[in-house]
Every structure is written in structure tokens, then in C-alpha cells.
Amino acid sequence: MFLPRLKLAICLVVVLHVGATFTASPDHVVLTLEEESEVYDVPCLEWQYFKVEFTEACKDLEILVSHQRGEPNLYVSRGATKYPTENSLAWSSYNWGSDRLAISSWDPEFTVGTFYIGVHAYCGDDVDTGNTPARFTVKASSVESSHFHDQIMPNGEALTGQIEKNGYGYFRFCIPDSCVNIEVNLGNCNDPTSCPNSYAWPELLVSRSIVVPTVNDHAWKLADSTRRSVKIDHDDPEFYPGHYFVGVYGWCTAPDQCNDPSTCGPCDNYPITYDVSLTLKVIASGCKPKEPLGLCEGGGSAAVKVSVLVVVLTTLLTVIFMS
């Protein structure tokens, strides 16, 4: 009698654990990048769901809903929200007619992986289409990313900037692969002998998530007047493929605190001109690629799930042995 009960307990635990970890989504239509879907007819106020796998850390995801009739509205989510609606935390577009939505890879909520797409057939007296069901196609594409910071190209030409004292200049770059070593270089005259009236020691900042990093923010920094580059190796636990933001800060010493202008980096030497460049070296062997940083998925903490499983297992085994 003991063995059948034990088998039953194990089966119950497996069912409970699987049910708590995975959510079936049989009604998601799988989209292929760059391919337009078939035509869908969706009744008023109902939803049609899709999903697409996106693996390009340095590109934007563009989703086009091509309207044929009715009023289809577009909602897109990541992470645990697999069925986005108008009430979800989601990217959205609900223009009249067709909808084109570009999800920027610079968006802090962006990460490679599965994107879930919901198209809602909106109907009502407040739209010209009234109660006409929606008819549409959907297409997901990879497009070049754009951003207001100038982009530093790996192993490309240096970019030039000018800053005032205590001012900032900003740039960006993107690394699609983690099996590389990178070095962000800052160039300017920093020798008091060669350029006594224009030398300076500006600070260099490299951030993984802060668009306009400052000297107080979470970032790699020089924090030194002699070191003129920030090096990040592939085995740095904080290094991941994706976007990075570069700040150049006009550090200097105020006149009332600068007794010797040849050694203190005086503010009077600003504005200065500088250049920034990015050196990238590919690691050919011995490197295990990392996935870009992503959002937590699965709708809960792994630790909580393990705890629930342990409690359930303990309870079932106790019942078995007490019987």
C-alpha cells in the first residue's frame, strides 16, 4: 500500500510544480520576422494574440498591423504578461486604421526574447467603423535603432566634442556579442607642459542603463588623472551585450582652490575639445556567450516556487507515512 501512495504523491507534486511554473498559450500565433501573417478576421471587442522571438540586442523591433476593415488596436508586452490588453503594462498603438509600433532597443524595458502581441477589434459609436469586425495582417521586423546621442562605432573613427567646466557631453554604443573586450578611450591634451592654458582631466563615464550618467551615478569611471580609458573585459560579471551610454564630464578645480595652475587642472582652462573612441577585441576561444540582461519571467520568484514545492512535498509525504 505504501508504494502506490508514494507514486501518487510524486505525480501530484509534478502536476502542482508544472502548473505553477508554466503557462500554456495555445492561441498565440507564432510570427516569423520579416514575414507578413495571413489575414485575420476578429469579431467586435475580441482579441487575436501572436508572439515573436527577437534576438537582436542592437536593433529595434517594429510591428505593423495592416488594417483592411474595422478598427484593430495593437498592444505588445514582455515578461510575465503574455496576453496584453488595454489595461496591461504594454507598448501600444491605437491610431485610426493601420498601426505601426517601433519598440526601441534603447528602451529600459526592452530585452531580447519573446514579445507577445495582442490585436484588439475595437468597436463602438465613437469610431467611424462602428461595429464592424476587424480584418488585418501583422508583420514583425528588425529595423535599425536610432537615438539622440551620437553613436560611437567599434574600432571606428573617434567622435569629437567640446565641454564647458562642470559640463557634460554624451554618446552611445552597442555591443551585440559578449565575447569581446572593450575599451572606451578619451583623448584630449592633459599635459600641463605641452598645453599649460588648455590642459584638463575630464572624467569618463560608461553606464549600462543610465542615458545621461553623471559622476555620482552607477557607472564605470576613470577616477584618475593618468588613466584615460575605461576597459571592460568579457569576463566582467557586470558586462552584458546591449546598449551602453558614455558621458564626458568637465572636471576641474575652482580658482580659489587652485594654488598652482600647472598641477590642479584649473577651471579657467575650459572649454576644451576632446574625442572619444571605442576599441573592441573579439575573444576567439574560451568564452561562453552571455545572454543580454532580461526581465524576470514566469510570474514569480524561483525561490517562492521552490518553497511551495517543498511545503507540498513535505505535507504529502507526512500524510503517506501517517496513514
Side-chain angles (χ1 to χ4, degrees), residues 3-316:
L3 187 57
R5 288 181 179 176
L6 181 59
K7 288 181 178 178
L8 176 60
I10 292 173
C11 290
L12 286 172
V13 170
V14 170
V15 170
L16 285 169
H17 182 56
V18 170
T21 306
F22 301 97
T23 302
S25 55
D27 55 344
H28 283 97
V29 176
V30 178
L31 297 178
T32 301
L33 279 177
E34 318 303 338
E35 293 184 10
E36 188 173 19
S37 74
E38 63 184 69
V39 176
Y40 285 87
D41 287 292
V42 179
C44 276
L45 304 180
E46 293 193 11
W47 292 81
Q48 176 63 52
Y49 285 101
F50 307 83
K51 64 181 178 180
V52 64
E53 199 72 19
F54 195 73
T55 60
E56 299 182 76
C58 296
K59 296 288 186 71
D60 292 354
L61 173 62
E62 183 179 83
I63 299 169
L64 172 64
V65 175
S66 296
H67 155 271
Q68 294 185 11
R69 73 179 185 192
E71 183 51 41
N73 292 332
L74 173 63
Y75 300 85
V76 183
S77 63
R78 278 280 294 120
T81 305
K82 295 177 172 55
Y83 300 90
T85 71
E86 68 273 24
N87 298 316
S88 302
L89 176 63
W91 295 277
S92 60
S93 176
Y94 33 85
N95 295 320
W96 304 119
S98 297
D99 288 292
R100 184 185 299 272
L101 175 65
I103 300 175
S104 173
S105 51
W106 298 95
D107 188 326
E109 298 292 329
F110 173 92
T111 180
V112 298
T114 305
F115 285 77
Y116 300 97
I117 301 165
V119 181
H120 185 226
Y122 186 83
C123 295
D125 295 336
D126 54 338
V127 292
D128 291 339
T129 51
N131 292 317
T132 304
R135 173 176 288 177
F136 58 87
T137 62
V138 180
K139 182 179 179 180
S141 303
S142 171
V143 298
E144 291 296 326
S145 184
S146 61
H147 194 270
F148 54 86
H149 291 339
D150 290 335
Q151 184 170 7
I152 312 169
M153 301 305 296
N155 300 325
E157 293 185 2
L159 299 185
T160 301
Q162 187 178 73
I163 48 172
E164 300 286 342
K165 63 182 180 180
N166 301 319
Y168 285 92
Y170 290 108
F171 304 86
R172 62 185 172 101
F173 65 88
C174 190
I175 304 296
D177 184 1
S178 63
C179 286
V180 295
N181 292 339
I182 64 173
E183 183 174 10
V184 185
N185 309 288
L186 175 61
N188 70 288
C189 183
N190 59 359
D191 182 7
T193 303
S194 302
C195 42
N197 298 318
S198 60
Y199 84 94
W201 298 313
E203 177 62 282
L204 179 64
L205 315 163
V206 180
S207 172
R208 207 173 53 199
S209 58
I210 302 173
V211 178
V212 285
T214 69
V215 290
N216 298 318
D217 288 327
H218 189 248
W220 287 275
K221 304 177 177 75
L222 296 177
D224 192 305
S225 63
T226 58
R227 189 161 61 97
R228 294 289 91 194
S229 67
V230 168
K231 296 180 180 180
I232 309 174
D233 290 340
H234 70 283
D235 55 0
D236 186 325
E238 299 295 338
F239 174 62
Y240 288 86
H243 293 290
Y244 289 79
F245 303 94
V246 177
V248 180
Y249 171 63
W251 181 90
C252 63
T253 303
D256 60 344
Q257 299 175 342
C258 184
N259 297 323
D260 183 357
S262 66
T263 61
C264 67
C267 291
D268 290 342
N269 286 2
Y270 282 83
I272 65 162
T273 299
Y274 63 90
D275 60 66
V276 288
S277 62
L278 176 63
T279 304
L280 183 149
K281 181 181 179 182
V282 176
I283 306 302
S285 62
C287 175
K288 183 179 180 180
K290 300 177 185 176
E291 292 295 328
L293 283 173
L295 301 175
C296 295
E297 297 201 33
S301 163
V304 171
K305 290 176 182 175
V306 170
S307 298
V308 171
L309 179 61
V310 170
V311 170
V312 172
L313 179 59
T314 302
T315 302
L316 288 172

